[in-house]
Every structure is written in C-alpha cells, then in structure tokens.
Amino acid sequence: EAGVAQSPRYKIIEKRQSVAFWCNPISGHATLYWYQQILGQGPKLLIQFQNNGVVDDSQLPKDRFSAERLKGVDSTLKIQPAKLEDSAVYLCASRSTANTEAFFGQGTRLTVV
Amino acid sequence: AQSVTQLGSHVSVSEGALVLLRCNYSSSVPPYLFWYVQYPNQGLQLLLKYTSAATLVKGINGFEAEFKKSETSFHLTKPSAHMSDAAEYFCAVTWGNTNAGKSTFGDGTTLTVKP
C-alpha cells in the first residue's frame, strides 16, 4: 500500500513569511498526526485529527500555527508568520483503528532564515 | 509527567559487535513501547513494538527489545551490527490504547558502525 505522502520535501523561507505543508495519509487511516522534529530532538506532537475533527491540539502554538483536515483525508499545516525557531522537520503520520502505531511520511524540512 | 529517556545520544560500535541502545520511561499506567529508526532525510520506520504481549519483542533487521517493568526499560539490541544499521534510533511511548499512535519520543540515539 502507498505510504504517507508529504510535500514539499524542503522549504526555505524568510522569517515573518508564511508557509504551508501538505499531507496525504494512508488510505483508510482515520487518525492523522502532525509532529515537529527540531534538530537533535525527538518528534513532538503538534496536533491529532480523528477524521475531520481535532482530538488534541494542546501543543500547537495557535498564535501562528494552524491545521485543517476538512474532508477527513488530506491535511495542511500552516505557519504564519514564521519565526527562526520554527526551523525543523514537520512529520505527518497516520494510523488506522487496527494499529497501535502510526506510520510516518518522509517529512518536510523547513528552514527559516 | 510522562517521559522517555534515551541514555547516550551517540553510540559507536564496530561492525559485527553487539548493539545496545538504552531506553527508560516513566509511566503510571501500562505503556505501549516502540523503537523507530530514521535514516538521513527520511521519516520514521517502525522497528518493533511492545503492546502487553510477550516481553521479548523481535523486530525487523535482526533487532529485538525486552520490556522490563521493574526497571521501566525497553532497551534495543542486535547481536551483530552491520554498516547499514548506522542511523538514528528513537524510543517512543504511548500510554494506553486510547492514546494509540500519540507517542512521546526520546531525543534519539545516533548509531555509528565502524568498519
């Protein structure tokens, strides 16, 4: 089966600009996650969706980050305006109800200069 | 607070030597435990998982891990390292089936394999 697809793979922007990342989960996976992985650290959960509803966004910096999954399939994560400390890899993952683990995409590496 | 600690941010072994990557967690409820591997510029790939069945778990690429409740540990081992094992390894914990997939990760251990 096809894996989790993310685009773009790399993005360089200036601080205060906006950026958006796209994720298409594995077909049939109801749960979708966005993680932020800063260099030298493990991934940290930003937001969790169940179908098109938000389950947990407690760690999402809502003043600048937003995410949506309008039709319960693909998802976008947006940062506006970006800060230098947002430089990281943004990982999307999805999970079916039959699994205890999530399956990860290759990530989008964001560099804010 | 829930946490995962990976002891040693860098581990170096010779090809053919034993690989031991350490992971300890804190939990007040039975955890699900995972080891993921990440190659450069790639996402995370699941190596193995513990979900309250057998405490010795075998995974892909010859890796295995043992859940020790008394030590709150889930160390990853491989009897004989290959050059292709060089990567970053992450231990992750999920607390309870209702949180399945929503994991807390350690900060990773970079494994270097010397020829």
Side-chain angles (χ1 to χ4, degrees):
Chain A
E1 64 182 0
V4 176
Q6 290 188 248
S7 67
R9 289 294 314 277
Y10 306 92
K11 190 75 176 179
I12 300 174
I13 63 172
E14 295 182 350
K15 59 183 179 183
R16 292 186 289 274
Q17 285 187 324
S18 63
V19 65
F21 314 126
W22 174 81
C23 171
N24 190 24
I26 294 172
S27 177
H29 283 196
T31 309
L32 185 146
Y33 312 84
W34 283 101
Y35 283 85
Q36 180 192 56
Q37 185 179 15
I38 293 173
L39 185 65
Q41 299 180 17
K44 290 181 171 56
L45 182 70
L46 292 175
I47 189 167
Q48 175 186 353
F49 290 94
Q50 182 72 20
N51 296 308
N52 62 350
V54 175
V55 174
D56 184 354
D57 63 356
S58 59
Q59 300 303 308
L60 187 73
K62 298 181 188 64
D63 58 333
R64 297 184 300 105
F65 285 65
S66 64
E68 60 183 15
R69 194 184 184 199
L70 293 176
K71 297 182 179 179
V73 181
D74 56 351
S75 175
T76 55
L77 176 69
K78 298 179 182 178
I79 308 175
Q80 182 178 12
K83 294 185 176 181
L84 296 177
E85 59 261 36
D86 298 332
S87 294
V89 175
Y90 291 85
L91 294 164
C92 180
S94 68
R95 183 181 69 86
S96 74
T97 53
N99 295 109
T100 52
E101 75 278 10
F103 295 83
F104 285 80
Q106 291 186 310
T108 296
R109 181 177 297 276
L110 174 67
T111 302
V112 182
V113 298
Chain B
Q2 303 161 344
S3 65
V4 177
T5 303
Q6 291 185 238
L7 297 175
S9 58
H10 291 85
V11 170
S12 180
V13 301
S14 297
E15 191 173 20
L18 171 71
V19 175
L20 171 60
L21 305 181
R22 300 178 188 273
C23 174
N24 288 86
Y25 66 92
S26 67
S27 175
S28 58
V29 298
Y32 292 169
L33 294 155
F34 308 88
W35 275 99
Y36 288 88
V37 61
Q38 187 176 37
Y39 297 100
N41 299 316
Q42 298 294 318
L44 301 173
Q45 179 184 5
L46 182 70
L47 279 176
L48 49 80
K49 63 181 179 180
Y50 166 78
T51 57
S52 74
T55 57
L56 181 62
V57 180
K58 295 185 184 299
I60 62 171
N61 301 338
F63 285 94
E64 63 181 38
E66 185 173 9
F67 171 65
K68 293 187 176 180
K69 183 178 179 180
S70 61
E71 299 178 7
T72 59
S73 69
F74 190 58
H75 301 331
L76 181 70
T77 61
K78 182 175 180 177
S80 176
H82 294 169
M83 297 297 292
S84 60
D85 294 329
E88 189 155 22
Y89 292 80
F90 291 94
C91 180
V93 183
T94 299
W95 280 271
N97 188 47
T98 55
N99 291 314
K102 189 168 72 174
S103 296
T104 297
F105 285 82
D107 283 335
T109 298
T110 300
L111 176 65
T112 301
V113 182
K114 299 175 292 185

